[in-house]
Amino acid sequence: MTVLDSKVPEGPIEKKWTKHKNEINLVNPANKRNIDIIVVGTGLAGGSCAATLAELGYNVKTFCFQDSPRRAHSIAAQGGINASKNYQGDGDSDYRLFYDTVKGGDYRSREGNVYRLAEVSSNIIDQCVAQGVPFAREYGGLLDNRSFGGVLVSRTFYAKGQTGQQLLLGAYSAMNRQINRGKIQSFTRHEMMDLVLVDGKARGIIARDLISGEIERHSAHAVVLASGGYGNVFYLSTNAMGSNVTAAWRAHKKGAFFANPCFTQIHPTCIPVSGDLQSKLTLMSESLRNDGRIWVPKHSKDAEAIREGKLKPTELGEEDRDYYLERRYPAFGNLVPRDVASRAAKERCDEGYGVNKTGQAVYLDFKAAIERYGKEKAFISGHKKPGKEEIIKLGEEVIESKYGNLFEMYEKITDQNPYKTPMMIFPAVHYTMGGLWVDYNLMTTIPGCYATGEANFSDHGANRLGASALMQGLADGYFVLPYTIGDYLSDDIRTGSISTDTEEFEKAEKEVKERVQKLFAAKGKNPVDYYHKKLGKIMWDKCGMSRNIKDLKEALEEIKELRDDFWANVKVTGKEGTKNSELEKAGRVADFLELGELFAKDALERNESCGGHFREEYQTEDGEALRDDENYRFVSAWEFVGNPRDAKLHKEELIFENIELKTRSYK
């Protein structure tokens, strides 16, 4: 085991980033024209990174498996993006955002990276406004804000319920400008199959053209992985169906350490599972918790009657409802962090108070908000004594203006009108805080290989606060990596172009082709989805919202057995050198079957509860997470040595100089 050096600069935390930028090496504009960079993934992190690097003068190649960068999963982000501009005048600041993020992550994130994230957050908003992102505005013309879980201020900027889409279109337009200039070569419908190392440095990738099936070599002086998270290891998640771990896992197997794989976020406000044939889950934005109140029946007999269809939620009076988040966490109420809200919902359902047919759902109710907004709007309109019908009508109009597209989406999926009856929600796998280990420069343990956005581990600790994913992706892409990558590339100004006609590229291509042929060679009887579903059930049942030593040990064995069966009995239809979606899925599931084992190992080795990692053996008397700061105040960074269960542990000690370590409380 080695102790990892994060390379965070010395000095006061508010001056670290400025000091670092002043001291790192730069590449002059003339030399940037001779340097090539590959960016894998073109969501918010990858798209913003590619556009900025090209604007600086580098030659960029981008790769995405979708038919367009506009199809990246970033487009699905609904609620908003955080920034510490303090437009509301409610006491927000860079330090407050920094503090909330570290606390929200249950003190398992790196101080230096998180403060930098807070520091550049305001620049992101200015950049996006300049690009034309249509953020909501309040009456005075300033950008509007709303609150998200885990904070006591309003710092979340939003574009109705389409924030991710609008931000991605901004990054995409910036990319298109560079494509038209010839500074970005865009390779859509291409999937990274392996990372190529030359003399220990990342010098290119092997990619598969998903239309023709051809295996291609692409070289560069550095490779940036912005390929998102690995939530689909659970099969059912809020992620896009194509989201996968392959790019990061290929890098891991070439020497990039994988950090904190067990830190996975369960989002509390998702549409519940509806049946065995379901292939993904739908997220309802956390922004809904600004106005929606979460509850279950106070009496189990009422919950049972609702499940049997004998009682409607609207027939229950206030005295018969348990607003359990408001009861347990009065200071934050419905806006507690996601991990806290998720576990509380699970606890109520486990106790028999769930409200759908499976007993795995709670209510998110907007009745009080509709009445409150209706009275306010009527008063503003001069109606001092409005009737109930007018109040409801006006209140629904306000709610529709704030969340209309989310309500419409819910109704289309469930065939229930959320204006008239409470939404039903339940926790589901959403975001992965774990990822490739990176230093302060966002470089992995492979020289020249960088990771940004959800593909790295760096900023969120054991639990991500809502609206911080978009913030981190754009911070990394627009304002961090374009600075730090120059420090590495300054040594390559005389290197010249990297040839793909070398032994290293030939060997990597050969290994990729052999792996593809091995998938076809099984000629088994089970389709790829058969294995993905089985893996997902193991992961959810034994590595999901709560974990224990018995389940985790069983998961290790069951995943290994499933992986062995996969390679022996999977059936991949179609041909190799052509468009083949089954082959694409097979390669991704093969990687999930390895990641899943490392995930379980990491959860088994971390004998504490923190954030999204809840070990049943380590909890307080009232069921809250019980951290062990004396023994586990570190980042777990795993080195691949052959079999995932044999991975070698390296540690990065987490040092807290600016925030006091204490038990997280939202009461």
Side-chain angles (χ1 to χ4, degrees):
M1 184 192 76
T2 58
V3 177
L4 293 168
D5 179 11
S6 62
K7 298 180 181 176
V8 176
E10 298 291 330
I13 196 162
E14 68 275 9
K15 296 181 180 178
K16 287 181 186 292
W17 179 229
T18 300
K19 179 176 184 289
H20 191 63
K21 287 190 292 182
N22 288 339
E23 293 177 352
I24 58 177
N25 294 315
L26 302 176
V27 180
N28 82 42
N31 288 329
K32 286 173 184 167
R33 293 194 291 267
N34 300 318
I35 291 178
D36 305 319
I37 301 174
I38 284 173
V39 179
V40 179
T42 51
L44 282 181
S48 59
C49 175
T52 308
L53 290 170
E55 179 70 28
L56 288 171
Y58 295 107
N59 306 310
V60 180
K61 287 183 178 181
T62 61
F63 294 82
C64 69
F65 60 76
Q66 300 96 342
D67 56 359
S68 165
R70 290 175 301 166
R71 300 270 287 172
H73 181 58
S74 298
I75 205 169
Q78 300 163 341
I81 177 171
N82 288 332
S84 52
K85 279 187 170 292
N86 194 32
Y87 281 166
Q88 304 294 313
D90 54 7
D92 202 7
S93 64
D94 289 350
Y95 181 85
R96 176 70 64 179
L97 175 52
F98 158 65
Y99 174 84
D100 287 343
T101 304
V102 174
K103 177 186 175 184
D106 216 352
Y107 303 93
R108 289 295 176 262
S109 49
R110 186 191 293 157
E111 277 195 345
N113 284 65
V114 178
Y115 193 90
R116 176 175 64 187
L117 177 65
E119 191 178 349
V120 305
S121 65
S122 293
N123 296 337
I124 298 170
I125 304 303
D126 296 339
Q127 171 96 356
C128 294
V129 169
Q131 289 174 340
V133 173
F135 286 119
R137 293 181 182 270
E138 48 94 52
Y139 181 77
L142 288 177
L143 301 184
D144 198 11
N145 291 128
R146 53 192 178 198
S147 297
F148 265 54
V151 304
L152 294 173
V153 298
S154 293
R155 67 162 65 99
T156 303
F157 295 78
Y158 64 97
K160 210 168 186 180
Q162 308 168 356
T163 314
Q165 178 180 9
Q166 299 302 327
L167 293 172
L168 186 62
L169 289 173
Y172 178 62
S173 65
M175 271 187 68
N176 267 344
R177 178 173 179 272
Q178 301 303 327
I179 292 171
N180 290 335
R181 291 181 62 218
K183 295 300 293 182
I184 291 180
Q185 281 183 273
S186 175
F187 292 86
T188 57
R189 299 295 289 140
H190 278 68
E191 183 163 29
M192 173 181 157
M193 304 293 282
D194 209 350
L195 183 70
V196 181
L197 272 56
V198 179
D199 296 329
K201 298 179 178 181
R203 292 301 198 189
I205 66 170
I206 305 298
R208 182 173 184 269
D209 184 326
L210 300 181
I211 302 298
S212 69
E214 290 184 24
I215 305 296
E216 302 173 354
R217 306 177 185 182
H218 296 272
S219 66
H221 296 87
V223 176
V224 179
L225 302 181
S227 49
Y230 49 87
N232 274 353
V233 69
F234 287 84
Y235 186 69
L236 284 179
S237 80
T238 65
N239 286 196
M241 290 291 290
S243 297
N244 62 81
V245 76
T246 290
W249 197 252
R250 297 293 100 205
H252 174 54
K253 295 183 80 167
K254 284 294 178 74
F257 293 176
F258 209 103
N260 299 336
C262 78
F263 285 173
T264 302
Q265 182 163 80
I266 312 295
H267 198 294
T269 53
C270 301
I271 297 179
V273 175
S274 59
D276 293 338
L277 300 179
Q278 195 165 350
S279 56
K280 91 172 292 293
L281 296 172
T282 303
L283 170 71
M284 299 308 294
S285 169
E286 183 174 333
S287 62
L288 295 174
R289 288 201 276 148
N290 271 273
D291 289 310
R293 300 178 72 193
I294 295 173
W295 65 275
V296 292
K298 188 175 289 186
H299 308 291
S300 58
K301 62 179 177 59
D302 290 335
E304 186 176 348
I306 287 174
R307 289 196 294 270
E308 293 174 353
K310 298 176 181 177
L311 183 68
K312 295 180 180 179
T314 51
E315 294 173 343
L316 275 185
E318 287 293 305
E319 68 279 3
D320 294 318
R321 300 181 178 194
D322 178 15
Y323 295 96
Y324 58 88
L325 290 179
E326 298 172 31
R327 168 173 56 83
R328 290 179 60 176
Y329 309 102
F332 284 74
N334 295 295
L335 287 173
V336 292
R338 291 172 176 179
D339 61 318
V340 177
S342 294
R343 282 196 298 275
K346 181 179 185 297
E347 184 272 333
R348 288 290 80 196
C349 291
D350 287 349
E351 290 297 314
Y353 296 92
V355 295
N356 68 347
K357 290 180 180 179
T358 65
Q360 300 294 299
V362 300
Y363 286 127
L364 181 63
D365 196 333
F366 288 85
K367 179 175 179 289
I370 288 171
E371 291 181 359
R372 184 177 71 251
Y373 284 127
K375 289 177 182 177
E376 182 180 313
K377 190 170 183 181
F379 193 86
I380 292 171
S381 303
H383 302 172
K384 306 305 180 186
K385 294 182 179 180
K388 187 171 182 180
E389 285 188 12
E390 182 184 2
I391 289 172
I392 299 300
K393 178 178 179 295
L394 293 174
E396 288 180 354
E397 288 176 1
V398 175
I399 292 293
E400 201 242 340
S401 70
K402 297 180 74 172
Y403 312 113
N405 60 313
L406 299 173
F407 275 50
E408 182 182 347
M409 181 172 66
Y410 180 87
E411 185 169 5
K412 283 185 176 180
I413 292 171
T414 66
D415 198 29
Q416 293 182 353
N417 183 348
Y419 293 101
K420 305 301 181 185
T421 188
M423 289 183 179
M424 285 193 292
I425 57 169
F426 194 70
V429 172
H430 180 52
Y431 185 93
T432 51
M433 285 77 67
L436 293 176
W437 185 90
V438 292
D439 63 16
Y440 192 68
N441 286 339
L442 304 185
M443 187 158 70
T444 70
T445 47
I446 298 174
C449 178
Y450 292 79
T452 63
E454 195 178 356
N456 74 34
F457 88 100
S458 67
D459 292 2
H460 306 298
N463 174 63
R464 177 176 68 80
L465 290 183
S468 286
L470 306 186
M471 176 175 63
Q472 187 214 343
L474 293 180
D476 287 355
Y478 282 136
F479 299 109
V480 179
L481 186 100
Y483 283 103
T484 61
I485 200 169
D487 192 44
Y488 171 80
L489 292 173
S490 62
D491 289 334
D492 272 321
I493 58 176
R494 295 183 180 85
T495 301
S497 61
I498 307 295
S499 173
T500 58
D501 189 21
T502 63
E503 180 182 339
E504 291 85 354
F505 275 91
E506 185 176 338
K507 181 184 177 185
E509 182 181 333
K510 181 172 179 288
E511 289 173 351
V512 166
K513 289 180 176 178
E514 287 174 349
R515 193 163 184 267
V516 169
Q517 290 161 5
K518 185 180 178 183
L519 288 168
F520 280 109
K523 298 187 183 303
K525 58 183 179 181
N526 299 320
V528 176
D529 282 345
Y530 168 86
Y531 291 99
H532 199 176
K533 288 179 182 179
K534 278 187 169 293
L535 174 63
K537 181 165 177 53
I538 295 169
M539 296 298 295
W540 180 251
D541 289 347
K542 300 184 176 180
C543 307
M545 260 196 286
S546 64
R547 299 119 187 222
N548 60 61
I549 189 168
K550 177 179 175 290
D551 284 349
L552 290 169
K553 286 182 175 179
E554 289 177 357
L556 279 172
E557 298 306 319
E558 291 173 15
I559 294 169
K560 181 185 181 301
E561 290 174 10
L562 187 64
R563 187 169 68 248
D564 291 343
D565 187 63
F566 171 87
W567 286 106
N569 293 308
V570 71
K571 182 177 181 61
V572 181
T573 55
K575 297 180 180 179
E576 180 181 337
T578 184
K579 186 179 185 298
N580 189 333
S581 59
E582 281 299 296
L583 176 59
E584 295 172 35
K585 285 197 293 184
R588 296 166 188 170
V589 171
D591 290 328
F592 280 140
L593 284 163
E594 293 184 356
L595 166 70
E597 192 171 321
L598 182 63
F599 187 119
K601 178 183 176 71
D602 186 43
L604 185 62
E605 295 284 332
R606 186 169 282 276
N607 294 321
E608 66 166 350
S609 290
C610 56
H613 169 64
F614 190 78
R615 283 283 297 272
E616 294 169 9
E617 304 92 334
Y618 307 100
Q619 55 181 301
T620 63
E621 289 183 2
D622 53 354
E624 303 295 341
L626 184 63
R627 289 198 326 266
D628 181 352
D629 294 330
E630 184 177 346
N631 296 303
Y632 291 94
R633 196 180 71 246
F634 60 79
V635 176
S636 299
W638 297 96
E639 179 184 1
F640 184 82
V641 294
N643 199 315
R645 69 174 55 203
D646 299 325
K648 183 179 178 182
L649 176 62
H650 302 268
K651 298 179 180 180
E652 177 199 336
E653 183 184 359
L654 292 171
I655 300 170
F656 294 92
E657 299 173 328
N658 300 274
I659 291 179
E660 178 190 356
L661 269 176
K662 57 185 178 182
T663 300
R664 203 171 46 141
S665 174
Y666 293 95
K667 295 181 178 182

